[in-house]
Amino acid sequence: MTSRLDPQPLEWLDRNETYRFTFEGQAYTGFRGDSVTSALLACGQTLLGRSFKYHRPRGALTLANHDVNALMQSADATNIRADVTPLQAGLDLRACNVNGTLVNDRDRFIERLSAFLPVGFYYKTFHKPKRFFPFWERKIREKAGLGSIDTRWTARRQAKSYGFCDLLVIGAGASGMQAALTAADAGLDVVLVDENPRIGGSLDYQLANDADAAPVRERLKTGVEGHANIRVLPSHYAAGWYTDHYVPLSGPTGIIKMRAGAVISATGVMEQPSVFRFNDLPGVMMASGAQRLIARHAIRPGKRAVVLSANGEGYRAALDLLQAGIDVAAVVDLEQGAERGHWASQLAAARIPVIEGHAIYEAQGKGRLERVIVAPFDGHRCNPATAREIPCDLLLMSVGWAPASQLLYQAGARLAYDDTLQQLLPQQLPAGIFACGRLNGAFSLEQRLADGQRAAKDACAHLRGESLQPDLAACRDTRAHSHPWPIIEHPRGKNFIDFDEDLQLKDLVNAAKEGFDNIELIKRFSTIGMGPSQGKHSNMNGIRVLASVIGRSIDETGSTTARPMFHPVPVSDLAGRRFRPERLSALHDRHLGLGAQMMEAGAWLRPEYYGMPDQREPSILREVQAVRTALGLIDVSTLGKIEVMGPDAAKLLDGSYTMRMSTIRTGMTRYALMVDDSGVIVDDGIVGRVAEDRFYVTATTSHSEATYRTLSRHIVEWGLDVRLVNRTGVLAAMNLAGPHARQLLAPLTDIDLAEDAFPYLGMREGQLCGIPVRLIRVGFVGELGYEIHLPVDAAATLWDRLMSAGAEFGIRPFGVEAQRVLRLEKGHIIVGQDTDGLTNPFEAAMAWAVPLKSKPYFVGRPSLALLKARCSRKLIGFRLPKGYSGERPKECHLIIENGEMAGRITSIAYSPSLGQLIGLAMVDLPLAEASLSLSVCVDSGDLIQIEPCALPFYDAEGKRQTADLTEVA
Amino acid sequence: MKLFDCPVIGKRPISEFDYCGEVRRPPLDADETAWADFVFNRNGAPQVLREWWYHRPTGRWYIMERDTLKDEVQRFIDPQEVRYDIPA
């Protein structure tokens, strides 16, 4: 281990646990607590990846989840961010963006073409001639994109959890910890979140060796971790801000959806690179990146260093290098005679040469840094005439900061450029959003602590409901920590602004000169900030360049709002668990016991048929035949069941349904058809009258909630005196249908079942097997049938009694599929299958259900009055010849007339009762009424002839459901 | 997810509510053009609107006056203010 330092006081390593792993086929070891990058650096592997466009060698840069040129690939994951991914035993990694091997990348040649690949090259070159574009697109796609996906994926689900707090503090650095403590002491329930595995923020790397910081670190960390009102969440990052302070916290075990009363953003600043020729060579890194390597992972990032600085922090970094035993050749300060504080004095005492008023003109080296060219700098450009050369293998850049303001922008904050600090700072924050620390321009430790207290007090006042005028500038620094122009032109370029996309200074200048003078336009044309780091180290310099070229201020140039997520979040975490609640009927266990195949129906599971999957067709046929010739029992508990009570109950139902309900006699039911304002069918069911002021309404399985909602709205809208009770869940229902239905029920009930006493469409209440029930004579399946509504608790008992008592009649349970065949034989429609989102009752051949003459009003009546004369299509019945054995038409197959679409099949099934295929089709008029034969285009493309016919197909007079079936059967 | 600040039941996640549009009165005596306008067109301009909100867990309707530009609920409306008679 060539680059590992002796134990550092705050290091994350557990040196007792050694992990073996491989990278690019070679074996390495590291410690628990290493990141992949730090473990590789410890072993002397400084080449970590290749850049996206030119496949240039790249190394470590920030160690802050911005090192997007060190992306790695394992067998089952891609774009692994080596700088922050914790090392695990047995990892087998290779570099992502490599053609061949990392060392011998076959795409290195692309760099030599860079002169011919100006910004916008792809947009300008490949769109003409158009017919070649698919070819070029394939070629470009092969080169573009990062990583490869294992297509033999398995579904992985990561459960989400939900959190609540008064105050969410994002960032556990000095100001964030102070803010959390102050707010928690004031009694708030605080959550403190930080993306790093340990709290402390820059206190633990930038100020790791600073004596003044030690007692503050101790006080804050013990205070925060021991406080009853603070929940600390390390290894979680706030991925985005959503309305009303809803913040997803992404961590190793998935997402916590945190609902906060207020949010303090103490997210700090992101160090920005200096732009000079070959500023991307491995060995050139952010000062803070090197400090992270030293303090967290005990890595010596180089042997002989040069520090480029435009602030006090650079001098602090140079001191840290010295302490780590690294030779510091020089500090190069961009400014002449600037006040750099006590760290600069300490460095002077160590006799380290400081070269003021100079910049790095160029970095040099073959594959990694070997020397830098230092030249005088006047704040705008370098004079290379008097340049000097300094050999070094490490160059730290400490030239400025950009606020980690992504979440503030998402929340609608306004930031403005501050000429004192040379940094974008929050100017106006939305209600409940607060900011403190370096993000807010507080740079010294004292300022950061004071700013954390201020933000916490503001947040407390906000949560108490007090109106406040926060003084955001109260604790801000009075001197700059960023240089306004750390950007050095070079005639031969390769001075990179965006390491994600290999954008050079000239690319942005050219884009601006081509007229892309708006930050949003230049972003899309040049792709600056569109790579994996989302501009975290490129946007600030990009804005500086654009502002300079177009001659406007930073504020006038504007900045872009980074969308969520702040860092990439695995799709499995976003998806969470499959969360689709399923409702089960009280008879669910009975269905399973009888071998039912279950299907989804709205929110419910219902038996599709009873039998083995390979016996689907014969099972359905047997069930149909049982209903037609003996007895069938179907669970219809999923129907909506609503009690409607009150003096205005009849008025409500008259207004809500097409047909008149106020004229139903007590103890009788009527078909109920509901349409919307435009006259489109939305639901059907039955309405039964229990008493003068009391009705019982059923609705279809999937529309029952909406029907309840509609009825309850009409009560408010029309000012009616009605009460509704939705009993869908507390009542079970089953339909006993078949010629023997009455014979079976008669001995079990106290209700008089005689045809005169309880006619078709009648409704009676009484006892059945000692259970209180409501019986309704229904005809949906076209046989003598009794729908039995009863309390769910008793449903299984009654089901068992009916099944055992019905055995002598050959009773069978039947499922949804058999019911579909049975109702189709009767020509009854299913709303949503035979109708669609535009079907009105005239089209559905239900003009009989629209009493325009006798009813002055119901919802949808004005539309239907207009539509009656404009009916343009109609639902008709059709059949295929008996014994037809050709290709079978399916639902949604199109009716074709003269080569044009003229309709579609909505239902089709084999009718065992008729011995042929029958169906319903929605067909354009006048074809629907005039034609003797229609053509259907089936899957193979053939046209099959179907024969329109009258409805219903079976028992046209309805004798079987209305008469005493002992005779007809 | 947004919270909906209902003046009656307090702040609830907006996913508990169905938004059912502006409170409007069907122009029953209107001509065909006016009726079609009522059926098919909605006013989307930012303004203060009276809106129907349905709270599914409780099955209750609320009529709110909401500034659709600022997305702020201003007032809870007594249903008596919006009721109308339908022809019997």
Side-chain angles (χ1 to χ4, degrees):
Chain A
M1 290 198 182
T2 57
S3 301
R4 188 74 78 181
L5 295 168
D6 291 337
Q8 300 292 302
L10 299 167
E11 71 177 24
W12 292 357
L13 303 179
D14 175 357
R15 298 192 184 223
N16 296 319
E17 207 162 337
T18 305
Y19 290 156
R20 292 177 192 289
F21 69 106
T22 59
F23 175 57
E24 292 280 309
Q26 211 163 341
Y28 296 89
T29 58
F31 293 128
R32 180 195 174 99
D34 260 322
S35 72
V36 173
T37 292
S38 71
L40 287 170
L41 292 180
C43 301
Q45 176 68 39
T46 52
L47 174 62
L48 301 177
R50 292 273 171 182
S51 68
F52 174 64
K53 191 168 161 193
Y54 299 139
H55 291 250
R56 288 177 54 81
R58 296 275 161 90
L61 183 68
T62 67
L63 277 295
N65 207 344
H66 308 169
D67 287 9
V68 298
N69 292 141
L71 294 179
M72 293 180 186
Q73 170 99 36
S74 70
D76 61 348
T78 190
N79 292 329
I80 297 166
R81 296 192 165 190
D83 58 337
V84 292
T85 301
L87 185 67
Q88 289 168 351
L91 280 178
D92 183 8
L93 301 169
R94 53 199 171 77
C96 254
N97 192 40
V98 165
N99 181 5
T101 67
L102 179 58
V103 178
N104 289 308
D105 186 340
R106 287 193 286 275
D107 284 348
R108 279 175 297 173
F109 76 93
I110 294 176
E111 187 184 353
R112 277 183 259 144
L113 306 178
S114 64
F116 310 106
L117 300 170
V119 64
F121 171 74
Y122 296 94
Y123 303 135
K124 290 170 179 169
T125 310
F126 294 108
H127 72 290
K128 277 190 218 170
K130 208 174 170 184
R131 67 178 188 279
F132 287 149
F133 183 72
F135 169 78
W136 287 117
E137 185 188 21
R138 193 153 41 81
K139 288 288 168 204
I140 294 166
R141 279 192 193 283
E142 281 169 16
K143 291 292 170 209
L146 290 167
S148 57
I149 293 170
D150 181 4
T151 50
R152 296 162 301 148
W153 60 280
T154 50
R156 253 181 289 178
R157 297 273 181 182
Q158 185 74 275
K160 291 175 191 169
S161 56
Y162 293 80
F164 300 87
C165 62
D166 295 333
L167 177 66
L168 173 66
V169 181
I170 304 169
S175 68
M177 288 194 287
Q178 181 61 61
L181 270 180
T182 306
D185 285 342
L188 294 190
D189 172 26
V190 179
V191 167
L192 176 63
V193 62
D194 196 286
E195 63 179 295
N196 293 293
R198 299 197 187 180
I199 61 171
S202 63
L203 273 179
D204 281 14
Y205 59 90
Q206 193 177 61
L207 303 179
N209 298 317
D210 186 86
D212 298 343
V216 175
R217 175 188 306 116
E218 174 66 18
R219 175 179 70 80
L220 290 176
K221 281 193 173 180
T222 29
V224 157
E225 278 170 342
H227 206 297
N229 289 351
I230 302 179
R231 282 170 281 164
V232 182
L233 288 176
S235 296
H236 283 73
Y237 58 88
W241 182 93
Y242 295 86
T243 308
D244 295 323
H245 312 311
Y246 203 40
V247 180
L249 306 178
S250 181
T253 55
I255 287 178
I256 303 169
K257 294 179 167 184
M258 183 61 67
R259 171 79 71 189
V263 175
I264 292 181
S265 184
T267 45
V269 286
M270 303 174 292
E271 186 145 44
Q272 300 297 298
S274 176
V275 177
F276 53 85
R277 179 166 165 82
F278 295 141
N279 59 344
D280 64 328
L281 276 178
V284 180
M285 66 172 77
M286 309 288 189
S288 55
Q291 288 173 312
R292 287 185 182 98
L293 278 175
I294 295 169
R296 292 174 174 174
H297 304 296
I299 296 296
R300 187 200 335 262
K303 295 192 180 74
R304 180 179 160 85
V306 170
V307 179
L308 174 67
S309 183
N311 48 29
E313 291 91 322
Y315 292 79
R316 175 68 254 174
L319 289 170
D320 292 341
L321 293 180
L322 288 179
Q323 189 142 355
I326 298 161
D327 189 14
V328 179
V331 171
V332 177
D333 198 313
L334 287 177
E335 289 172 310
Q336 189 80 47
E339 171 57 41
R340 294 296 185 219
H342 64 291
W343 291 325
S345 321
Q346 289 175 38
L347 199 69
R351 309 183 97 92
I352 300 298
V354 174
I355 308 171
E356 293 193 332
H358 278 63
I360 308 297
Y361 182 64
E362 185 175 339
Q364 293 180 349
K366 202 167 187 304
R368 62 155 303 142
L369 184 67
E370 288 165 14
R371 70 197 79 82
V372 293
I373 309 297
V374 178
F377 178 64
D378 65 1
H380 297 285
R381 53 187 68 239
C382 262
N383 177 9
T386 56
R388 67 180 108 164
E389 189 181 298
I390 304 177
C392 59
D393 65 347
L394 178 66
L395 174 70
L396 302 192
M397 299 180 286
S398 181
V399 298
W401 310 93
S405 53
Q406 285 84 347
L407 266 62
L408 291 184
Y409 277 116
Q410 287 166 23
R414 262 219 320 271
L415 278 78
Y417 193 75
D418 185 281
D419 287 325
T420 306
L421 280 145
Q422 301 292 348
Q423 181 185 324
L424 285 164
L425 293 175
Q427 190 184 40
Q428 200 173 8
L429 295 171
I433 301 279
F434 304 88
C436 63
R438 291 195 289 172
L439 163 72
N440 189 38
F443 273 85
S444 77
L445 192 48
E446 297 72 33
Q447 289 163 353
R448 287 150 77 179
L449 297 176
D451 208 28
Q453 280 181 335
R454 176 202 56 79
K457 284 175 185 162
D458 286 350
C460 290
H462 168 78
L463 288 170
R464 283 194 301 266
E466 296 166 15
S467 66
L468 51 135
Q469 296 290 328
D471 180 10
L472 284 167
C475 309
R476 283 178 182 165
D477 209 335
T478 50
R479 61 178 178 190
H481 290 256
S482 300
H483 195 279
W485 189 255
I487 296 161
I488 313 298
E489 286 176 41
H490 195 289
R492 295 172 63 201
K494 298 285 158 60
N495 37 7
F496 292 100
I497 286 205
D498 189 318
F499 299 123
D500 296 24
E501 308 263 351
D502 280 354
L503 286 172
Q504 310 170 43
L505 175 57
K506 65 169 184 187
D507 292 328
L508 279 198
V509 173
N510 289 343
K513 285 182 177 163
E514 284 200 47
F516 295 95
D517 57 353
N518 173 292
I519 189 68
E520 295 285 0
L521 290 177
I522 210 167
K523 172 179 169 178
R524 281 151 186 83
F525 182 65
S526 69
T527 70
I528 184 170
M530 288 171 69
S533 84
Q534 289 284 289
K536 290 190 177 81
H537 59 249
S538 62
N539 270 359
M540 197 60 235
N541 282 334
I543 295 168
R544 292 190 197 281
V545 170
L546 181 59
S548 155
V549 174
I550 63 180
R552 294 198 201 129
S553 71
I554 299 276
D555 284 343
E556 285 163 347
T557 307
S559 54
T560 57
T561 300
R563 281 176 283 268
M565 305 296 176
F566 179 63
H567 294 311
V569 177
V571 174
S572 57
D573 289 12
L574 290 176
R577 275 179 306 174
R578 182 183 192 272
F579 190 64
R580 214 156 80 205
E582 282 169 346
R583 297 185 76 174
L584 301 182
S585 126
L587 299 169
H588 187 70
D589 291 343
R590 294 297 186 278
H591 301 322
L592 296 185
L594 288 161
Q597 304 299 322
M598 305 303 284
M599 59 175 272
E600 288 184 4
W604 297 82
L605 285 186
R606 296 192 68 183
E608 186 180 358
Y609 58 94
Y610 296 82
M612 298 303 289
D614 61 348
Q615 292 292 305
R616 187 177 188 277
E617 299 302 318
S619 300
I620 295 167
L621 284 186
R622 269 199 303 276
E623 291 169 23
V624 170
Q625 259 148 356
V627 175
R628 289 281 179 246
T629 61
L631 261 184
L633 186 61
I634 182 171
D635 179 6
V636 293
S637 301
T638 59
L639 289 175
K641 297 176 280 288
I642 303 167
E643 306 269 2
V644 182
M645 299 166 284
D648 294 329
K651 192 176 175 188
L652 169 70
L653 298 174
D654 270 350
S656 303
Y657 287 98
T658 57
M659 293 203 286
R660 198 175 274 288
M661 301 301 172
S662 51
T663 55
I664 303 174
R665 280 176 291 124
T666 299
M668 293 304 288
T669 64
R670 189 165 287 167
Y671 178 71
L673 183 69
M674 184 180 277
V675 300
D676 65 13
D677 272 329
S678 63
V680 167
I681 297 172
V682 292
D683 192 30
D684 71 349
I686 58 156
V687 169
R689 191 163 212 160
V690 181
E692 181 59 27
D693 60 351
R694 189 161 169 198
F695 293 82
Y696 185 59
V697 176
T698 68
T700 58
T701 299
S702 53
H703 204 266
S704 65
E705 292 299 320
T707 294
Y708 177 82
R709 191 179 72 183
T710 301
L711 292 176
S712 62
R713 172 165 153 179
H714 289 156
I715 293 173
V716 177
E717 205 169 7
W718 301 335
L720 302 179
D721 186 0
V722 182
R723 300 286 173 275
L724 297 182
V725 181
N726 189 349
R727 300 184 73 197
T728 303
V730 295
L731 292 181
M734 51 193 98
N735 183 13
L736 180 72
H740 299 300
R742 184 176 294 145
Q743 270 171 280
L744 174 66
L745 284 187
L748 305 175
T749 181
D750 61 351
I751 300 170
D752 183 356
L753 300 182
E755 187 67 25
D756 299 341
F758 186 2
Y760 180 56
L761 300 182
M763 178 169 71
R764 297 287 181 275
E765 289 176 353
Q767 302 271 318
L768 178 59
C769 301
I771 299 161
V773 295
R774 195 176 265 160
L775 295 189
I776 306 172
R777 288 270 312 264
V778 291
F780 189 52
V781 298
E783 296 294 333
L784 174 64
Y786 295 87
E787 213 167 83
I788 306 161
H789 294 240
L790 75 166
V792 282
D793 300 348
T797 308
L798 184 66
W799 175 275
D800 293 343
R801 289 289 301 276
L802 294 179
M803 287 299 290
S804 61
E808 62 172 300
F809 303 105
I811 194 170
R812 263 185 188 279
F814 66 107
V816 174
E817 278 305 321
Q819 183 177 245
R820 280 181 181 163
V821 176
L822 290 161
R823 66 88 205 180
L824 182 60
E825 289 178 338
K826 288 296 293 177
H828 292 150
I829 66 158
I830 294 177
V831 173
Q833 174 170 336
D834 299 298
T835 71
D836 59 29
L838 291 171
T839 310
N840 66 49
F842 304 116
E843 296 171 336
M846 296 170 82
W848 54 268
V850 187
L852 289 176
K853 278 187 190 144
S854 62
K855 259 184 95 175
Y857 183 75
F858 55 87
V859 172
R861 186 191 182 282
S863 291
L864 290 177
L866 296 166
L867 288 169
K868 186 175 185 184
R870 300 177 195 180
C871 192
S872 62
R873 54 181 192 159
K874 197 168 179 186
L875 199 66
I876 59 164
F878 69 86
R879 61 192 170 200
L880 279 91
K882 281 189 181 175
Y884 173 81
S885 61
E887 188 177 349
R888 197 166 154 171
K890 295 176 185 164
E891 279 151 19
C892 284
H893 276 167
L894 297 178
I895 313 281
I896 304 292
E897 174 75 5
N898 296 328
E900 299 286 329
M901 283 186 278
R904 70 184 162 88
I905 291 176
T906 61
S907 291
I908 185 166
Y910 175 75
S911 162
S913 317
L914 279 73
Q916 63 194 132
L917 283 168
I918 57 170
L920 297 172
M922 186 64 82
V923 182
D924 291 351
L925 286 172
L927 199 61
E929 284 167 348
S931 183
L932 294 173
S933 174
L934 295 168
S935 302
V936 178
C937 181
V938 292
D939 284 342
S940 66
D942 291 350
L943 290 181
I944 306 289
Q945 298 304 305
I946 58 173
E947 179 196 340
C949 64
L951 293 175
F953 300 96
Y954 175 77
D955 184 27
E957 287 111 59
K959 280 189 177 146
R960 298 184 66 87
Q961 64 213 41
T962 53
D964 194 337
L965 279 188
T966 43
E967 290 141 39
V968 245
Chain B
M1 187 201 318
K2 256 185 77 57
L3 296 176
F4 185 77
D5 196 2
C6 173
V8 182
I9 56 171
K11 276 189 183 175
R12 306 294 311 168
I14 203 161
S15 60
E16 290 182 2
F17 289 87
D18 290 340
Y19 171 69
C20 294
E22 185 186 356
V23 172
R24 303 177 314 148
R25 189 168 295 196
L28 296 180
D29 300 324
D31 63 12
E32 184 177 336
T33 312
W35 179 256
D37 183 60
F38 167 78
V39 170
F40 294 111
N41 295 327
R42 300 290 183 276
N43 186 354
Q47 61 194 299
V48 176
L49 277 188
R50 289 181 168 191
E51 297 170 328
W52 290 103
W53 289 86
Y54 178 70
H55 188 238
R56 281 194 309 282
T58 55
R60 293 285 300 271
W61 280 97
Y62 297 99
I63 304 164
M64 306 290 182
E65 221 162 66
R66 189 173 66 105
D67 183 331
T68 61
L69 183 64
K70 295 183 189 153
D71 193 15
E72 282 171 3
V73 174
Q74 296 184 337
R75 198 160 75 90
F76 168 77
I77 305 289
D78 184 338
Q80 289 299 324
E81 284 185 45
V82 304
R83 63 152 298 204
Y84 60 90
D85 288 318
I86 53 168

